[in-house]
Structures are given as structure tokens and as C-alpha cells.
Amino acid sequence: MDLEELDRKRMPRHVAIVMDGNGRWAQRRGLPRTEGHAAGEEALLDTVYGAVDAGIDWLTVYAFSTENWKRPRDEVRYLMNFNERLLLTRRQELHGKGIRMRFIGRRDWRVPKRILRRIDETVELTEKNRGLTLTMAFNYGGRAELVDAVRSIAEAGVRPDKISERTIARHLYDPKMPDPELMIRTSGEYRISNFLLWELAYTELLFTEVLWPDFRREHLFAAIGEYQRRERRFGGVQVAE
Ligand code: IPE
Ligand code: IPE
Ligand code: MG
């Protein structure tokens, strides 16, 4: 689908993506699963630049979940190194395009210190940019995020009767991040897998059979086209004019 076919006045402000299917992409080619992760880099960059061209303000991608530590040690190590290298080799290019990079997830002992350092450097490098905000969900889990929010509310000593939905939203990993209007999951899996549990409450969900390494900006535009055809009600009813 072409960008010109979309209604520019009804673009989602925030799109979130579960980048899934790397392992299957590789297996279908008789390659090790890790080759699928490597091939996902091009998909990510094309999608990011497509989002920039579409004028989307926020793009959030699920890069590593709190459950992904269960994978074989070699694959986990590969993913850590892969994400670190991706930051190192791509951040200048992304910075040059005015992209602001952010991270959500748990900074626990399992994440190698040098990766946390790279993350901090990257956030700092790009923090003044005013283009697309690209958020990487890394060692991210929706339940962990809610647990961490509850902990920080308790630590702040907020009185129970003062706790509202806004209080919780303000204690999430990135309080400034708006809720996504659209979530895309690739690879034909129909689940959330612990992604943005709070934030997805009223998000339009779109599932595609395309495996992540094959995903390109055209698929993003097609997903936005589908989103624009949907009627969002937020629990209300559509009143006839
Ligand atoms: C998504 O692809 C990437 C990560 C979870 C890091 P998978 O590795 O889950 O690929 P499949 O689902 O096994 O095909
Ligand atoms: C979700 O994909 C996590 C990421 C894409 C980073 P998974 O492949 O880990 O999810 P499940 O295991 O199919 O639910
Ligand atoms: Mg998967």
C-alpha cells in the first residue's frame, strides 16, 4: 500500500509493534534462528523510516521480553550482542534523521552493564531530537511494568484514596508516552505476550501473517489503512447525525 492512499488527517499518533517470527523465517530457509534476528534489522530500519515518512510521532517496538530469558543461552547471548551492535552501528544514522530514542523495560542484573551504558548514551545523544520517538521495549514485560509502577507509588507514599488511573500512568516507565492507537503483531500469533498491558486498553489490534524479517514500510502503511477503516467506540455508541 502507498502512503498517498492514507488519510493524512487520521494517522495514528503512536504505533506499537511486536516484531515476531524471526526464528521461523530462518528455519524455513534452513538457517539457524539467529539469522532471522539478523534479518530483522533491515525490517526495523525500513519500518522506522516509513513511520517517519508517514508523520507518526511515536513508534514502540518489542525487542526483548522479560520472558525471553527462557531461551537457550546462546540465543539470549546473541540477542544481547545483536541489540548492542544495532545501537552502536545505527544510532548516529537515526540521530541524523532527528529520531529520539527511548527505552522501556527493567534495568535488572540480567542485562549486561555495557548494554545499559549504550542505552543511556543513545538516549542522551538523541534526547533533544524532535522527530519520531522510537521506543525500544527491552527486557520489557507489561506485568513487570505494573509491578514497578505499584512499587514506585508505594515508595512515594501516595495515600490509597489518592491513587487514580492517572497516578498509575504517571508511574509507568515512560510517563510521557501516549497510549498506542494501533498495535501490530507479525507472524500470525494472536496474543499480546505481555506487551504494554496497561497502554493497550483501547488500542486497535492488527495481526498479520508476515514474518518480521519480511516486514517493510508497505506493510506498516497497509496496517494503518486497516486502522483507518475501523470504527473506534471507546465503550460509547455512534450517534447518527
Ligand atoms: C521475535 O522472533 C524476536 C524475539 C522474540 C526476540 P522469534 O525469535 O520469537 O521468532 P519465532 O516466533 O520463534 O519464529
Ligand atoms: C514476543 O514474542 C516478544 C518479542 C517480540 C520481543 P515471543 O516470540 O517471545 O512471544 P511468544 O513466546 O510467542 O508468546
Ligand atoms: Mg516468537
Side-chain angles (χ1 to χ4, degrees):
M1 183 153 179
D2 277 354
L3 191 48
E4 290 71 47
E5 295 167 57
L6 296 174
D7 180 351
R8 299 299 286 231
K9 291 189 293 298
R10 289 178 51 236
M11 288 306 228
R13 186 168 170 225
H14 181 186
V15 177
I17 306 182
V18 179
M19 309 185 287
D20 196 18
N22 298 352
R24 278 163 284 168
W25 183 92
Q27 271 153 3
R28 281 179 203 174
R29 286 167 175 72
L31 299 167
R33 291 176 52 83
T34 49
E35 287 300 314
H37 301 313
E41 179 169 351
E42 200 181 326
L44 178 61
L45 288 170
D46 199 61
T47 304
V48 168
Y49 295 138
V52 170
D53 291 347
I56 288 164
D57 291 330
W58 296 73
L59 180 71
T60 299
V61 295
Y62 207 1
F64 192 88
S65 78
T66 46
E67 286 68 43
N68 287 148
W69 299 104
K70 291 183 204 151
R71 295 188 177 200
R73 200 145 42 121
D74 283 351
E75 184 172 347
V76 169
R77 195 178 306 124
Y78 181 92
L79 284 167
M80 289 297 136
N81 291 334
F82 172 75
N83 280 294
E84 182 189 15
R85 197 188 50 77
L86 190 110
L87 282 186
L88 279 173
T89 57
R90 300 294 186 174
R91 65 185 173 195
Q92 281 302 339
E93 172 187 340
L94 294 165
H95 179 48
K97 304 248 182 203
I99 292 167
R100 185 169 72 129
M101 291 195 60
R102 321 260 302 168
F103 287 82
I104 53 174
R106 233 185 213 169
R107 299 173 66 100
D108 64 22
W109 56 273
R110 293 180 294 188
V111 183
K113 285 269 182 318
R114 52 164 220 287
I115 297 188
L116 294 177
R117 228 170 19 244
R118 301 293 179 222
I119 287 177
D120 293 341
E121 292 162 3
T122 307
V123 170
E124 203 183 324
L125 172 73
T126 63
E127 75 187 339
K128 295 211 169 60
N129 290 342
R130 285 291 163 265
L132 173 83
T133 298
L134 172 63
T135 305
M136 310 274 290
F138 188 76
N139 193 24
Y140 175 88
R143 288 190 172 181
E145 179 174 38
L146 289 172
V147 168
D148 290 347
V150 171
R151 281 185 185 161
S152 111
I153 292 167
E155 268 165 23
V158 182
R159 268 181 34 200
D161 61 324
K162 293 284 179 212
I163 297 174
S164 65
E165 291 188 10
R166 271 186 55 194
T167 318
I168 293 172
R170 272 200 228 112
H171 285 83
L172 298 176
Y173 292 134
D174 187 349
K176 294 227 162 64
M177 182 174 94
D179 291 343
E181 285 83 12
L182 171 64
M183 189 219 70
I184 302 166
R185 182 172 186 149
T186 57
S187 88
E189 304 292 355
Y190 296 80
R191 55 180 171 265
I192 304 294
S193 300
N194 205 12
F195 192 38
L196 304 176
L197 293 183
W198 176 273
E199 298 87 335
L200 292 179
Y202 260 104
T203 301
E204 293 297 326
L205 307 179
L206 192 135
F207 299 92
T208 167
E209 298 293 322
V210 176
L211 301 175
W212 178 249
D214 292 327
F215 197 88
R216 291 293 178 275
R217 63 177 69 207
E218 294 74 30
H219 300 107
L220 172 69
F221 300 155
I224 296 171
E226 162 74 27
Y227 160 82
Q228 292 184 336
R229 286 189 291 277
R230 293 196 188 169
E231 183 196 323
R232 304 186 77 199
R233 299 198 196 96
F234 300 99
V237 287
Q238 209 71 352
V239 184
E241 315 247 318

